[in-house]
Amino acid sequence: MRHVLSALVQNQPGVLAHISGMLASRGFNIDSLAVGETEKPELSRITFVVHGDDAELDQVRKQLGKIITVVKVIDISSEDYVERDLMLVKVNSDRQQRTEIALLMEMFRGRVVDIGPTTMMLEISGQEQKIEAFIELMRPYGIVELARTGRIALVRGTPGQGDVL
């Protein structure tokens, strides 16, 4: 089962290494990982996606909770949440293909961020399925380079409903 975990941690060197090492030592592969400062500069939010059954994930949450720099961890998979992924992709494009690619970008609510003599760089964000579908549409043009962020996610609602703190 796919789980999206959100951890609030103290913004200190080594926290990410400690958490990823703990997950690795328990045999969890991290499918996606994103880290960034929160609205409070002293805290960072780590969002990671892992696969495992509920019992395994409960154990992981308890182990993470024992790490001193971890403030709180929740499995937001069972919550009503919004998740996004960001991708930059550089594709081959001649003059005729550029209009075609730009129309596809518009349909996917993306943006053209750079045009070179033989390539276009595109930016798209959304749910994982949207990103994957767009990648498949771009394959026939020839993907030169591709970079993606990890998933970021927040629980919907007002403060106090499903908040990590």
Side-chain angles (χ1 to χ4, degrees):
M1 180 177 199
R2 178 180 180 264
H3 293 269
V4 179
L5 300 175
S6 180
L8 267 177
V9 299
Q10 294 173 6
N11 197 0
Q12 295 178 5
V15 174
L16 179 60
H18 197 171
I19 289 174
S20 61
M22 192 280 299
L23 288 167
S25 70
R26 282 157 182 75
F28 281 94
N29 183 44
I30 300 171
D31 293 342
S32 172
L33 176 71
V35 183
E37 258 187 21
T38 67
E39 64 283 0
K40 298 178 181 176
E42 69 275 9
L43 297 176
S44 288
R45 177 174 275 103
I46 301 175
T47 306
F48 45 101
V49 179
V50 295
H51 283 82
D53 64 33
D54 291 339
E56 291 172 319
L57 261 293
D58 189 48
Q59 187 62 32
V60 166
R61 283 182 52 220
K62 288 177 183 173
Q63 293 297 317
L64 287 171
K66 292 179 183 178
I67 298 172
I68 292 171
T69 52
V70 174
V71 176
K72 180 98 177 188
V73 178
I74 61 169
D75 181 354
I76 64 173
S77 306
S78 59
E79 302 285 335
D80 184 16
Y81 68 97
V82 175
E83 80 175 5
R84 291 292 182 264
D85 196 345
L86 173 67
M87 176 181 70
L88 291 175
V89 60
K90 191 185 304 178
V91 296
N92 290 318
S93 65
D94 58 31
R95 288 188 182 272
Q96 289 178 292
Q97 293 173 320
R98 288 184 179 171
T99 302
E100 212 174 287
I101 293 169
L103 285 172
L104 287 170
M105 280 305 302
E106 192 175 311
M107 290 173 63
F108 276 78
R109 295 186 179 140
R111 297 182 333 136
V112 175
V113 293
D114 186 54
I115 298 177
T118 60
T119 62
M120 292 176 76
M121 187 182 305
L122 314 167
E123 172 190 305
I124 187 166
S125 66
Q127 292 182 318
E128 182 180 14
Q129 303 92 310
K130 175 183 173 181
I131 303 293
E132 296 293 334
F134 190 76
I135 289 170
E136 290 310 311
L137 284 173
M138 291 298 106
R139 286 197 193 284
Y141 296 99
I143 295 174
V144 178
E145 286 183 276
L146 186 147
R148 290 174 71 171
T149 63
R151 239 71 82 237
I152 57 172
L154 288 176
V155 174
R156 292 181 189 269
T158 57
Q161 294 179 328
D163 284 356
V164 178
L165 275 181

